[in-house]
Amino acid sequence: MLFVRDTISYLLTLFKFMRGKFFILCFLTTALAFCQSKNFSLDWNGKKTLSVTNASIDLPAFNEKFYSFDVDAGLQFIAQWEITGVIDVNATQLANVVYAPMTRRELLDLGENTIT
């Protein structure tokens, strides 16, 4: 009878210990499932001509979905998506960025002063 009682006591202690570990595992799994990650590829493809009444400018073109041009701000890549919670700005990362040089000729009518 002593053996059965010790075994049950051991199993209850083990269960209490594992219950805490299981909670932590479930919490971390849920947290990772709701993390947001985005991948972007900027595909340069020719030029885009913007026209107003009596003037037009040629600009380098890339994915139309993310393309934005403003005379003051210049050419911009803008991506927006819905968020499901609070964003920690300090934990936000931009990683694995690959840069490639562009010649002055490839910039077309885009002013160098608008590139930052």
Side-chain angles (χ1 to χ4, degrees), residues 45-63:
N45 51 12
K47 68 179 182 176
K48 180 175 186 161
T49 303
L50 299 178
S51 301
V52 289
T53 307
N54 58 356
S56 66
I57 57 171
D58 292 327
L59 299 170
F62 55 84
N63 323 45

Side-chain angles (χ1 to χ4, degrees), residues 37-41 66 77 95-96:
S37 172
K38 298 290 181 185
N39 295 313
F40 298 102
S41 176
F66 307 114
F77 178 93
N96 300 326

Side-chain angles (χ1 to χ4, degrees), residues 56-116:
S56 66
I57 57 171
D58 292 327
L59 299 170
F62 55 84
N63 323 45
E64 185 70 31
K65 181 178 177 182
F66 307 114
Y67 195 92
S68 177
F69 178 76
D70 179 88
V71 175
D72 297 323
L75 186 58
Q76 296 179 335
F77 178 93
I78 297 179
Q80 296 178 337
W81 59 90
E82 291 186 30
I83 58 170
T84 57
V86 179
I87 294 178
D88 181 3
V89 178
N90 296 323
T92 305
Q93 294 181 9
L94 181 61
N96 300 326
V97 178
V98 177
Y99 294 96
M102 290 184 78
T103 65
R104 178 66 192 120
R105 183 176 175 189
E106 290 172 315
L107 292 176
L108 303 170
D109 295 332
L110 183 63
E112 290 182 37
N113 58 335
T114 62
I115 299 172
T116 56

